[in-house]
């Protein structure tokens, strides 16, 4: 007897899988058969996916919300599709694309149409991701030109840093105590000292 499963993936721990889970619930997939993974799809070293793959048997049905849940690039999506349909003998249903339902059209024409649609969608999906990354890169470069700073906000020296620094030099307080007084981590405290020492040597700074 065949079983019905679902694979749900989000790329980061911060992303929400609710939209995919709602779709699987509407498709009447039993909760115990829904495999949820929060991990990047850049490779397939994914424990949940592998666990599900071992459980799948011929004639089982696997639901996914969209084709890019199977991988992050054209080759990987096609490879996983072939593993599932040819090696495992599993049917796949892509909810966002009704044409990609291997339960339908199992004759030669139906298989050909499904393969063509899959190839096209995989190619489009990968190119869209490449375009998004390029737009992000261009946006960051444009923002840098405008003076936008990225990364952690800089921690400024407290007004009494000179006194704290002098006490630390005289070994009246430890580096950790000095860092605490400045509201820095010890690493940040040492980095600030190094920067100030370099500026002092070059004549740009004095305590």
């Amino acid at each position: 007897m065949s079983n019905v499963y679902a694979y749900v993936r989000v790329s980061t721990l911060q992303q929400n899988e609710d939209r995919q889970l709602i779709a699987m619930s509407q498709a009447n997939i039993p909760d115990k058969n829904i495999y949820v993974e929060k991990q990047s799809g850049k490779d397939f070293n994914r424990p949940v996916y592998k666990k599900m793959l071992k459980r799948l048997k011929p004639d089982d049905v696997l639901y996914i919300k969209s084709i890019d849940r199977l991988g992050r690039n054209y080759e990987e999506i096609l490879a996983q599709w072939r593993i599932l349909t040819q090696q495992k003998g599993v049917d796949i249903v892509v909810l966002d694309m009704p044409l990609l339902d291997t339960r339908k059209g199992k004759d030669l024409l139906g298989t050909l149409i499904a393969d063509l649609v899959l190839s096209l969608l995989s190619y489009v999906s990968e190119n869209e991701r490449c375009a998004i990354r390029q737009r992000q890169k261009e946006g960051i470069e444009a923002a840098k030109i405008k003076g936008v700073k990225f990364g952690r906000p800089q921690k400024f020296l407290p007004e009494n840093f000179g006194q704290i620094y002098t006490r630390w030099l005289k070994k009246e307080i430890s580096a950790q105590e000095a860092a605490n007084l400045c509201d820095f981590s010890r690493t940040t405290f040492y980095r600030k000292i190094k920067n100030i020492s370099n500026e002092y040597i070059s004549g740009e700074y004095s305590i």
Side-chain angles (χ1 to χ4, degrees):
M1 182 177 177
S2 62
N3 293 306
V4 179
Y5 299 93
Y7 180 64
V8 171
R9 177 177 68 80
V10 290
S11 299
T12 67
L13 295 176
Q14 289 73 35
Q15 289 183 347
N16 194 303
E17 68 275 17
D18 287 351
R19 185 175 65 89
Q20 295 179 64
L21 290 174
I22 290 171
M24 299 310 168
S25 175
Q26 292 173 343
N28 298 317
I29 313 297
D31 289 345
K32 65 178 182 178
N33 288 353
I34 299 177
Y35 287 78
V36 180
E37 188 133 48
K38 292 192 175 187
Q39 191 168 340
S40 171
K42 67 179 180 180
D43 57 50
F44 264 70
N45 294 321
R46 295 185 284 179
V48 175
Y49 181 82
K50 289 182 176 180
K51 181 179 178 181
M52 180 195 69
L53 202 59
K54 290 180 180 179
R55 188 175 176 184
L56 292 173
K57 304 186 303 295
D59 297 324
D60 284 344
V61 181
L62 175 64
Y63 281 75
I64 54 176
K65 184 71 170 66
S66 58
I67 192 62
D68 60 359
R69 298 305 86 195
L70 286 181
R72 292 293 299 273
N73 59 62
Y74 176 74
E75 292 82 6
E76 191 64 65
I77 292 172
L78 293 179
Q80 292 304 318
W81 185 275
R82 294 189 181 105
I83 289 172
L84 290 164
T85 59
Q86 298 177 18
Q87 296 183 20
K88 301 292 291 186
V90 172
D91 278 314
I92 304 177
V93 178
V94 182
L95 294 176
D96 283 354
M97 180 54 63
L99 280 174
L100 290 179
D101 183 345
T102 61
R103 299 171 302 176
K104 304 174 183 177
K106 286 185 175 291
D107 57 6
L108 182 60
L109 180 59
T111 301
L112 176 61
I113 292 173
D115 286 347
L116 288 172
V117 173
L118 172 65
S119 296
L120 178 60
L121 287 177
S122 301
Y123 178 77
V124 169
S125 179
E126 181 177 1
N127 275 272
E128 177 60 21
R129 279 191 294 271
C130 291
I132 290 172
R133 286 196 294 269
Q134 181 62 30
R135 288 196 296 268
Q136 289 174 337
K137 181 180 178 181
E138 291 172 355
I140 291 172
E141 291 301 322
K144 285 181 177 179
I145 291 172
K146 292 180 179 179
V148 176
K149 302 293 184 181
F150 292 89
R152 294 180 179 179
Q154 181 180 358
K155 284 199 169 187
F156 295 99
L157 299 178
E159 292 183 0
N160 62 339
F161 181 80
Q163 297 174 358
I164 297 171
Y165 179 57
T166 301
R167 291 181 62 193
W168 173 75
L169 283 176
K170 293 180 178 180
K171 297 184 179 181
E172 295 177 1
I173 55 176
S174 67
Q176 186 61 63
E177 289 172 329
N180 292 341
L181 290 171
C182 296
D183 194 25
F184 293 160
S185 66
R186 189 163 61 176
T187 301
T188 300
F189 177 69
Y190 282 130
R191 186 172 64 250
K192 293 293 185 182
I193 291 173
K194 182 179 179 181
N195 292 340
I196 289 172
S197 298
N198 292 337
E199 292 173 2
Y200 184 76
I201 291 171
S202 65
E204 296 178 5
Y205 186 92
S206 61
I207 297 178

